Amino acid sequence: MATAEEVKEQINVQTAAIAALKKANAPKDQIQAEVKKLLDLKAQYKTFATNNNGNQKANANTGSKKNFTLKTPKGTKDYNDKEMAVREKIFNTIKTVFKRHGAVTIDTPVFELKEILMGKYGEDSKLIYDLQDQGGELCSLRYDLTVPFARFVAMNGSKYQNIKRYNIAKVYRRDQPSVARGRMREFVQCDFDIAGVYEPMVPDAEIVRIMKETLTALEIGDFTIKINHRKILDGMFEFCGVPKEKFRTISSAVDKLDKAPWEEVRKEMVELKGLPAEVADKIGTFVVCKGGREMCDFLEEKLGSNATAMEGINDMKLLMTYLEAFDVLDKISFDLSLARGLDYYTGVIYEAVSIAPPESGKKKKSDDEGNVGSVSGGGRYDNLVGMFSGNRTVPCVGFSIGVERIFSILLRKMKLEEVKANEVQVYVCSVGKGLLTEKMKICKELWDNDIKAEFMYKADPKLDKQFQVCEREKIPYAIIIGNEEIEKQVVKIKDQTNKESVVIPLERKKK
Amino acid sequence: MATAEEVKEQINVQTAAIAALKKANAPKDQIQAEVKKLLDLKAQYKTFATNNNGNQKANANTGSKKNFTLKTPKGTKDYNDKEMAVREKIFNTIKTVFKRHGAVTIDTPVFELKEILMGKYGEDSKLIYDLQDQGGELCSLRYDLTVPFARFVAMNGSKYQNIKRYNIAKVYRRDQPSVARGRMREFVQCDFDIAGVYEPMVPDAEIVRIMKETLTALEIGDFTIKINHRKILDGMFEFCGVPKEKFRTISSAVDKLDKAPWEEVRKEMVELKGLPAEVADKIGTFVVCKGGREMCDFLEEKLGSNATAMEGINDMKLLMTYLEAFDVLDKISFDLSLARGLDYYTGVIYEAVSIAPPESGKKKKSDDEGNVGSVSGGGRYDNLVGMFSGNRTVPCVGFSIGVERIFSILLRKMKLEEVKANEVQVYVCSVGKGLLTEKMKICKELWDNDIKAEFMYKADPKLDKQFQVCEREKIPYAIIIGNEEIEKQVVKIKDQTNKESVVIPLERKKK
């Protein structure tokens, strides 16, 4: 960072440069550009002059007080080494499952042209972070990974009409943050999507299988995958007498049933959204229904006369057959109260709910206790790519895992202090003086052989101080050298678990 | 995304809600908040009315033309599946080396409070991306990973006074992008830093060792690590008669010597920066000097009388001893022309330069050909943490690897088309009709046993189409089932390399 003096010097240099340009009759706009730079420098200098706690002093290390807030922006946080060890384990577990199903990964920028995101998130568009217009394109931080994926598929023409891809990356929402509930403005999503024209319900079934496999591998405890179908919802609304233009708004009311009781949702439908009471009551008889495969027959009996509903029911019959082959039925709940907020879903929708047991030794207070809610969700969105590519549509189906929820569930089960953040296997210790470079040489040998090793950055440390590090960092082996070992060209290796030692000859590889 | 109809419906709902609130004599600010939402909805509806190509049509899938540019923002790009396979290999190689040295990782947000970044990058501050002020804090996208790391260390008080951490993440610079030269506005940096008060030059030596290990592991070909010391540079400037306030600006002129000849740099010093010609010439006699360990003696002879220079020279002597123990001396060039632009360095500085051989079959045109320049750089910055924490300073040393440069070097050596992006090991194929769920069951068995497997999402595919996929995706094994195999409860496994087959009994695990 520049000090005030340096900026002053830069101002002098820049003044001289402008004078030289003028003398040489340089083009006007070139001179103007240089004058602009000079003015910027002068403005910069001014901040030093008006601020006694400026960088000049801090740089000179005079111990002046900081003159700004030392924090991360609202709704964001740092993850320390132990937290990151847990998070990386989550990411790796998820990647392993995703790759098992043949997925590749693609990477898209953190920000997109603003117009790409516009009109995709309905009312939530106000939560999009915009970049400042600094003389260029108008850009916004991505709100999810689905729209950038659809933009990528649309942009690459026929090349990526078929793709199974995953993406683990940060997304941004200017929401009211709630750190306690793991709700952040910057957070990580893990998405898996399948694009392409395929046999009906086959990729959909694999997506649900991957949900089961991932959540099982993450060891978050018991969970249920709720499933429903947009066409069954629409058919049911039609059957009950909801006017077509109210399908989405009534659907978003139904979506609240996982948090609110039916009475409240009914009130919203009737009083706020103007639905006749008898229509709402009819909906009420449906949304309480949930079950397994047998729901298909039940619904066919009830809604068989409705063409839209029947399309959905037939899809679900096929899906259930495939889910049986994939051994997922035990986790499934065909749940008519599942609606999912996002408007772009067109077919099967699903949502996984974690059912954490009550904390040990405590009685469960209510059915809802320990229910941290949705940990994963998704569905089929056949028209999103078409919004970008005009007449060429690419059907897609996918799901997303909310890492922050998974992270908070896992943190409840472990003691963060006990997490080993580094992976060091061997700590190279010395007894006696003047052995620093000897320890370095041994570390070099270890590193050359891909063994994770460290030593104390101190010339002549005491042995107990070195053992304390082994203890604290949970390093399984210590190598100890002293003058005797060096003379005999041996090292002592101590197993930190059972405290046993062996002495082995030190054979250095000749290169 | 909401259609025009849905927004209109929302407007009606909202109007009714406001009427209800007024009737109920609700608090004024509550009503005002709801009115605000209504106005937002009305504004949203207006965009539909004025835009015939709105989402309503796209959503209805009528094939209307897109009304926006389908691209990523300037200076950013998508990385497709094959590019990402190469990039992930780079990241994993780097992580393996970093972890071998005991590093942990921490994660900081993509954006920081604007004031955190202010005054850290001198003239380059104009390249910082700001977020729009949407009624909250003023934030900017991070420009590097060093300042966020220093902010983290300062924020965490005594808890992270000692830390070895790496971070592989994206940073943002509103620079003039040059895709050909791998210069982007969004790009990935891999940083390794060591914070803490330690024995002089010990962590510095390990950093240089890690540079060597990483670049060797990345297999980018030959490279040299240039080393210099800020105090030697300052001492040399003092010795040559440069006024103290011009140290940094003359240093940044010296920094250009890797791209420009001495004559040009001399001209900048004398004509633009007002240095007496004889002072510049004296500098000229130093900056041509480079070599190995013997440079320490040479410099002691020349600059021994200068206290600042001697501090640097003594550091370098010690460093050379440690670098010998770490077996790094063969890669080192003690180079007095290395200055490094960033102002925050206070001690040893280094920069690795890749020396790619000329493309096979072609003659090397000049010494510079194939020299893609700096692939990694860093140094000691003892005062940066202090800028955030006031009187508590934490000395730091670190380096950064430019992934985009490494990526472009590796791409020159391989054919991207031939990269296997997915990791599928087994493709489950069928001969004959009606075997879709049978294939699904076999995939399920494979997945249960952590084998990466896929099948064609088609009811009755032809065998040659399935083999074509194996071929194209470089899948090593095919499992083939037909009615005969199902009857006998066996599967045929075909090795795609040597085209040999074996038939084995299918034993399904009972669960």
Side-chain angles (χ1 to χ4, degrees), chain A residues 148-294:
Chain A
F149 172 61
R151 197 259 311 138
F152 175 87
V153 173
M155 242 175 89
N156 283 281
S158 58
K159 219 179 152 194
Y160 289 96
Q161 294 256 14
N162 303 321
I163 184 173
K164 260 187 197 174
R165 87 87 180 75
Y166 73 88
N167 197 1
I168 300 180
K170 288 178 173 179
V171 300
Y172 299 86
R173 300 183 184 178
R174 276 180 54 254
D175 216 336
Q176 216 39 46
S178 155
V179 178
R181 288 163 55 214
R183 195 153 125 184
M184 304 291 291
R185 290 183 161 193
E186 172 183 70
F187 60 97
V188 172
Q189 280 197 335
C190 299
D191 278 26
F192 187 108
D193 294 84
I194 303 173
V197 179
Y198 296 116
E199 210 72 32
M201 292 299 113
V202 181
D204 308 65
E206 188 161 343
I207 289 284
V208 180
R209 161 80 197 190
I210 300 168
M211 283 179 97
K212 173 182 167 175
E213 252 179 76
T214 316
L215 296 175
T216 307
L218 286 169
E219 298 180 349
I220 56 160
D222 204 10
F223 60 91
T224 301
I225 302 174
K226 298 183 194 173
I227 300 203
N228 200 1
H229 197 297
R230 269 288 163 90
K231 285 184 179 165
I232 296 178
L233 275 172
D234 286 354
M236 176 190 82
F237 291 146
E238 206 170 47
F239 178 84
C240 296
V242 179
K244 196 159 188 171
E245 69 276 11
K246 288 196 178 172
F247 277 13
R248 287 285 78 82
T249 185
I250 294 303
S251 183
S252 83
V254 169
D255 192 45
K256 290 169 187 158
L257 278 171
D258 57 340
K259 286 171 204 117
W262 165 249
E263 277 317 306
E264 223 166 87
V265 171
R266 183 185 179 281
K267 202 174 162 188
E268 177 178 332
M269 287 178 178
V270 177
E271 291 181 20
L272 206 65
K273 298 188 170 171
L275 207 63
E278 61 277 15
V279 175
D281 289 335
K282 226 166 166 184
I283 295 173
T285 64
F286 281 99
V287 294
V288 292
C289 301
K290 55 185 167 185
R293 204 172 180 171
E294 75 288 351

Side-chain angles (χ1 to χ4, degrees), chain B residues 166-232:
Chain B
Y166 73 88
N167 197 0
I168 300 181
K170 287 178 173 181
V171 299
Y172 298 87
R173 298 181 185 181
R174 276 180 54 255
D175 215 335
Q176 215 39 45
S178 155
V179 177
R181 288 162 55 213
R183 194 154 125 183
M184 303 291 290
R185 290 183 161 193
E186 172 181 71
F187 59 97
V188 171
Q189 278 195 338
C190 300
D191 277 25
F192 187 108
D193 294 83
I194 302 172
V197 179
Y198 297 117
E199 209 72 31
M201 292 300 113
V202 181
D204 308 66
E206 187 162 343
I207 289 282
V208 180
R209 161 79 196 192
I210 300 168
M211 282 179 100
K212 174 183 167 175
E213 251 178 77
T214 316
L215 296 175
T216 306
L218 287 168
E219 298 181 350
I220 56 159
D222 205 11
F223 62 90
T224 300
I225 302 174
K226 298 182 193 173
I227 300 203
N228 200 3
H229 197 297
R230 268 287 163 89
K231 287 186 178 163
I232 296 179

Side-chain angles (χ1 to χ4, degrees), chain B residues 339-398:
Chain B
R340 294 204 47 86
L342 275 173
D343 279 358
Y344 53 58
Y345 293 119
T346 54
V348 176
I349 47 176
Y350 28 72
E351 193 165 288
V353 182
S354 153
I355 309 155
E359 281 178 54
S360 58
K362 282 185 191 169
K363 262 199 179 169
K364 210 172 166 180
K365 276 176 206 148
S366 71
D367 272 1
D368 267 358
E369 198 187 279
N371 186 334
V372 300
S374 166
V375 289
S376 174
R380 176 162 284 281
Y381 51 100
D382 284 347
N383 299 332
L384 192 58
V385 173
M387 287 184 64
F388 294 113
S389 55
N391 47 15
R392 194 174 51 82
T393 66
V394 179
C396 292
V397 60

Side-chain angles (χ1 to χ4, degrees), chain B residues 254-370:
Chain B
V254 168
D255 192 46
K256 290 171 186 155
L257 277 171
D258 57 341
K259 286 172 204 114
W262 165 249
E263 277 317 307
E264 225 167 88
V265 171
R266 183 185 180 280
K267 205 174 157 186
E268 178 177 331
M269 287 178 177
V270 177
E271 291 181 20
L272 205 65
K273 300 188 168 171
L275 207 65
E278 61 277 12
V279 175
D281 289 335
K282 226 167 164 182
I283 295 172
T285 64
F286 280 99
V287 291
V288 292
C289 300
K290 55 184 166 186
R293 201 172 181 170
E294 75 288 351
M295 283 279 288
C296 294
D297 300 323
F298 165 80
L299 285 170
E300 183 161 8
E301 204 189 297
K302 291 270 183 185
L303 300 173
S305 60
N306 182 288
T308 312
M310 265 323 288
E311 278 180 46
I313 294 165
N314 286 332
D315 273 356
M316 290 302 275
K317 281 184 184 170
L318 204 52
L319 180 68
M320 291 295 176
T321 304
Y322 297 153
L323 291 183
E324 188 180 17
F326 280 156
D327 188 28
V328 191
L329 281 184
D330 60 328
K331 291 292 177 196
I332 294 302
S333 168
F334 188 169
D335 187 333
L336 285 190
S337 74
L338 177 73
R340 294 204 47 86
L342 275 173
D343 279 358
Y344 53 58
Y345 293 119
T346 54
V348 176
I349 47 176
Y350 28 72
E351 193 165 288
V353 182
S354 153
I355 309 155
E359 281 178 54
S360 58
K362 282 185 191 169
K363 262 199 179 169
K364 210 172 166 180
K365 276 176 206 148
S366 71
D367 272 1
D368 267 358
E369 198 187 279

